[in-house]
Amino acid sequence: MATLSVCQPQLGGFSFENCKRNAVLEAEVTKLGCNIPSARKTGTTICGVVFKDGIVLGADTRATEGMIVADKNCSKIHYISPNIYCCGAGTAADTEMTTQIISSNLELHSLSTSRLPRVATANRMLKQMLFRYQGHIGAALVLGGVDCNGPHLYSIYPHGSTDKLPYVTMGSGSLAAMAVFEDRYKQDMEEEDAKRLVRDAIAAGIFNDLGSGSNIDLCVITKGRVDYLRPHDMANKKGVRLIRPVYAYKQGTTGVLTKSVIKLDLEVVEETVQTMDTS
Amino acid sequence: MNTRGLRSQPKDSVPVTGMGQQVGAYGVQDTLRSGFSSVKNELLPSHALELSEKNFQLNQDKMNFSNLRNIQGLHAPLKLQMEYRAARQIQRLPFLQSSHLALDTLKGNDESISFEDILNDPSQSEMVGEPHIMMEYKLGLM
């Protein structure tokens, strides 16, 4: 058991004890030419759009670790409350933990007020927490939901600034997705049009950005109903391999030009019989 | 009441010793209890967030109290601080885990979850404080 002469009781939360040691280690390792392991990012395309009755959120499903795909089918649309969902880009662990903490806080808040939570509440909680940590928590989020005041869509940046807009995109593929939105967005779309628009925006991100890939997940939120479509569309299917590869060619593939038969004359020289021991 | 305490404390004005060594007898560092020291370790924080996180609760409280004072008058923060002081005294001896239930309810921490509750939970820390030393520190005998 480790007993130290600790004078004050320990506090919870982040501990910065090892920061100096880590800085020294990183300098040493870089001198030797290696890299320290990097955090798993989601290198993502996420987007959301407001349509006539609600919100459509969309995301791809690839998680990268440097240049390697760490997860081919990760879920980037996180649950916040029954009427609010949040897509996350940036460091995967940060988005996961942030959305879980805010989801718990919203649940406690809604139990205390006995009302369905509002999207603005979730937005305010997220931005206050992200600003407190000055951008060191790398979570870029698209928050959308339907509450008593109608559908709302927010984009939240890692340093704590937020935007309330009718259509938003985030992540490394955000420019490709935003191009699709800017071209085809209309106010008060129908649900099928909105789903098709989001699907095309995410597909643009998947095909034009290295950090995004695999399938397209959609989440349609309307008053009283949430459709979590996972996967909505498999944009990149792995090729199907033949179980028994057929390498033999059919008869007649090669044309026959000439045919000659040479008979070999063989004569019997010696004949011996050897009995087998079958005991 | 000292009204200076109701102003919020800016980050730069946190005294250097708040982050550095414990001062023992005669005002010299306590090498026996807190190990060797170096000026660089004491002056610079190891992470940009270290200072701001250390004083976060303190600054939040000061900001809330000064808002209350401006809106409702001096009596509001005075009464609240009196209640906080009373609730803070309901705890076990320092080396044991106390729940701080009354204090948490007053501050509203019972209805929120943050990183203080998830990471480095003090009830599950691997180090145990030495009871005698912690009691002496609390009573001011050290």
Side-chain angles (χ1 to χ4, degrees):
Chain A
M1 193 168 75
T3 317
L4 265 196
S5 58
V6 183
C7 289
Q8 282 149 325
Q10 308 273 31
L11 292 168
F14 288 111
S15 153
F16 298 102
E17 282 167 0
N18 292 333
C19 286
K20 288 207 167 80
R21 175 205 77 170
N22 291 349
V24 170
L25 276 179
E26 193 177 339
E28 293 290 309
V29 165
T30 321
K31 239 191 293 183
L32 292 171
C34 318
N35 312 43
I36 50 168
S38 65
R40 179 186 296 198
K41 309 198 76 138
T42 53
T44 299
T45 310
I46 50 175
C47 65
V49 87
V50 177
F51 70 99
K52 195 167 71 174
D53 307 316
I55 304 271
V56 179
L57 296 172
D60 72 305
T61 58
R62 175 183 287 182
T64 53
E65 208 167 300
M67 284 284 119
I68 302 176
V69 175
D71 192 344
K72 291 187 280 276
N73 198 0
C74 74
S75 155
K76 297 186 189 178
I77 306 186
H78 308 282
Y79 165 89
I80 302 264
S81 82
N83 59 329
I84 304 174
Y85 278 74
C86 180
C87 311
T91 311
D94 289 346
T95 59
E96 188 72 39
M97 285 267 90
T98 306
T99 47
Q100 281 178 352
I101 287 180
I102 296 302
S103 167
S104 307
N105 277 329
L106 256 195
E107 175 72 20
L108 286 171
H109 189 258
S110 100
L111 283 171
S112 162
T113 58
S114 33
R115 288 183 171 89
L116 202 61
R118 300 194 189 185
V119 191
T121 318
N123 177 52
R124 187 57 62 126
M125 286 181 176
L126 279 165
K127 87 195 296 187
Q128 282 177 350
M129 184 174 98
L130 289 174
F131 183 72
R132 172 179 170 180
Y133 293 105
Q134 292 290 296
H136 287 276
I137 292 190
L141 308 164
V142 167
L143 176 77
V146 178
D147 58 22
C148 56
N149 289 339
H152 302 277
L153 186 64
Y154 292 90
S155 71
I156 304 165
Y157 292 83
H159 281 266
S161 60
T162 63
D163 283 316
K164 184 173 190 313
L165 293 166
Y167 55 94
V168 292
T169 65
M170 293 284 245
S172 53
S174 62
L175 290 174
M178 185 52 92
V180 175
F181 274 165
E182 288 286 0
D183 190 30
R184 284 162 45 186
Y185 172 79
K186 280 185 286 292
Q187 257 194 337
D188 292 331
M189 284 184 288
E190 294 298 319
E191 179 173 333
E192 284 311 313
D193 290 335
K195 277 162 72 169
R196 208 173 315 130
L197 178 62
V198 170
R199 186 245 157 239
D200 288 343
I202 301 288
I206 287 177
F207 290 122
N208 293 298
D209 174 45
L210 281 179
S212 320
S214 302
N215 315 326
I216 299 172
D217 291 348
L218 280 194
C219 185
V220 184
I221 310 174
T222 52
K223 200 173 181 61
R225 183 178 62 97
V226 171
D227 284 330
Y228 193 97
L229 305 159
R230 176 176 157 80
H232 172 67
D233 193 355
M234 312 193 86
N236 298 354
K237 241 194 285 228
K238 278 167 89 169
V240 182
R241 239 190 310 164
L242 293 171
I243 302 169
R244 276 180 307 113
V246 180
Y247 293 125
Y249 293 103
K250 283 203 303 279
Q251 285 274 6
T253 310
T254 319
V256 179
L257 294 176
T258 50
K259 183 169 164 176
S260 62
V261 179
I262 302 171
K263 214 164 156 62
L264 285 171
D265 288 326
L266 298 164
E267 46 183 78
V268 180
V269 174
E270 199 192 326
E271 195 174 314
T272 52
V273 176
Q274 215 171 27
T275 49
M276 247 187 348
D277 189 4
T278 54
S279 51
Chain B
M1 157 137 195
N2 184 9
T3 58
R4 211 155 56 88
L6 292 174
R7 262 186 279 148
S8 96
Q9 203 167 19
K11 197 161 70 165
D12 307 319
S13 76
V14 172
V16 174
T17 53
M19 199 183 51
Q21 305 292 315
Q22 285 170 329
V23 181
Y26 311 111
V28 190
Q29 294 99 322
D30 219 343
T31 318
L32 183 67
R33 283 190 207 99
S34 32
F36 293 108
S37 66
S38 83
V39 177
K40 189 171 71 153
N41 280 351
E42 281 183 55
L43 282 183
L44 298 173
S46 48
H47 194 267
L49 287 179
E50 186 177 357
L51 273 180
S52 98
E53 278 299 296
K54 207 164 165 193
N55 298 320
F56 184 75
Q57 208 44 55
L58 215 67
N59 285 341
Q60 284 289 98
D61 287 345
K62 287 192 170 149
M63 188 172 71
N64 289 339
F65 281 140
S66 89
N67 276 340
L68 253 190
R69 185 195 178 176
N70 292 334
I71 296 172
Q72 294 186 13
L74 188 57
H75 74 99
L78 275 181
K79 279 195 186 145
L80 271 181
Q81 284 191 326
M82 183 186 75
E83 288 181 14
Y84 280 16
R85 236 174 242 223
R88 205 176 293 139
Q89 289 174 357
I90 308 170
Q91 57 172 291
R92 294 210 173 111
L93 293 175
F95 50 90
L96 292 171
Q97 271 306 306
S98 13
S99 71
H100 298 289
L101 187 59
L103 193 59
D104 277 350
T105 312
L106 265 182
K107 286 187 169 169
N109 288 343
D110 62 335
E111 286 187 346
S112 74
I113 297 178
S114 73
F115 288 113
E116 278 79 33
D117 304 308
I118 299 173
L119 300 173
N120 279 337
D121 195 6
S123 62
Q124 293 174 356
S125 101
E126 298 140 355
M127 297 194 297
V128 177
E130 236 265 38
H132 299 291
I133 295 184
M134 293 183 87
M135 272 313 292
E136 284 179 14
Y137 185 80
K138 181 178 176 195
L139 295 173
L141 300 170
M142 274 222 312

